Amino acid sequence: SLGDRQLIYLHMMLKNVNLGCLLAASISFALNASADVEAGRVAVVNGEVRIGRDNEPGRLAKPNDVVSNLDVVKTAANGSAKVLFTDQSVMDVGPNSALKISNYAVKDGENRTGTFSLLYGKMRALVTQKVGADGKVEVRSGDAVMGVRGTEFVVDRGATNSANTSVVVVSGLVQFSPPGGGAPIAIGAGQMLVAPTPPSSQGGATAGGGTAQ
């Protein structure tokens, strides 16, 4: 009958809606689980340091606090922090600085991933374990991308995020390139490079390529 067909149709629609909700919930749970995976822990805290997400004040950090994907480590003028990651990499965050962690995953040994975005300020990175050919660990700032394979280097973006990014390599090798792509510049131990100013900031003039010094 017409009534029976309508009941069957409504039952099928409800079943499809429930399956869709279940699928959406599963995807949301997977994304949240990925974001909440422990990437490392705070080893040292000096002064005021906070851990939070974008545009959040965050919680006051203390030694042994967990740092996860999408967390931002923020320091005040009197603050600094040392973060030890699960792959044994160490990130020192200087005063008046903010470092965001994303895409962090220890897969199979050398083939791991991680993006460390210096939003402003200064940091020192020590990547002790070699990154394999299928891995990708990089430090980003507003005007530079630094590919890392196993090295120690210092990045300075300026406290107001207005200065051109500079990088000094202490040991190993860093591949320095603009965020929009382009041929990378290899920076070796004892060398320094300052990101060139984009053409739009030079009144239309052509920006010169950075050179390791």
Side-chain angles (χ1 to χ4, degrees):
S1 66
L2 179 60
D4 290 338
R5 288 199 298 270
Q6 288 177 332
L7 285 174
I8 292 172
Y9 175 75
L10 288 173
H11 177 74
M12 292 177 65
M13 288 292 292
L14 182 60
K15 184 177 180 180
N16 288 336
V17 169
N18 288 338
L19 286 174
C21 291
L22 181 61
L23 179 60
S26 299
I27 293 173
S28 176
F29 177 80
L31 290 174
N32 290 332
S34 176
D36 292 337
V37 168
E38 179 179 334
R41 289 180 181 259
V42 177
V44 178
V45 173
N46 294 307
E48 182 180 335
V49 179
R50 292 181 176 271
I51 301 174
R53 298 293 169 93
D54 290 331
N55 303 318
E56 293 180 358
R59 67 187 187 277
L60 284 172
K62 59 185 184 298
N64 206 39
D65 273 358
V66 171
V67 177
S68 305
N69 269 325
L70 303 183
D71 275 346
V72 180
V73 180
K74 306 174 186 178
T75 61
N78 68 337
S80 63
K82 184 186 294 289
V83 182
L84 175 62
F85 290 87
T86 58
D87 68 348
Q88 303 305 306
S89 295
V90 178
M91 303 286 172
D92 289 303
V93 186
N96 277 332
S97 302
L99 178 67
K100 181 176 180 177
I101 296 91
S102 56
N103 303 320
Y104 185 88
V106 177
K107 298 178 180 179
D108 52 344
E110 295 181 351
N111 296 322
R112 61 193 190 278
T113 61
T115 300
F116 304 92
S117 301
L118 184 62
L119 306 181
Y120 56 86
K122 188 174 183 178
M123 66 170 288
R124 170 183 168 271
L126 175 60
V127 182
T128 57
Q129 304 295 322
K130 181 181 177 182
V131 180
D134 293 331
K136 186 177 183 181
V137 175
E138 59 186 17
V139 173
R140 286 180 167 266
S141 66
D143 57 357
V145 179
M146 288 141 277
V148 182
R149 293 294 172 188
T151 184
E152 179 181 0
F153 60 104
V154 177
V155 182
D156 191 345
R157 180 59 175 145
T160 61
N161 198 27
S162 60
N164 291 25
T165 298
S166 66
V167 56
V168 177
V169 178
V170 179
S171 64
L173 188 71
V174 171
Q175 297 289 341
F176 188 103
S177 58
I185 299 172
I187 315 171
Q191 293 185 311
M192 172 184 178
L193 188 143
V194 178
T197 302
S200 59
S201 301
Q202 298 181 340
T206 301
T211 304
Q213 300 178 357

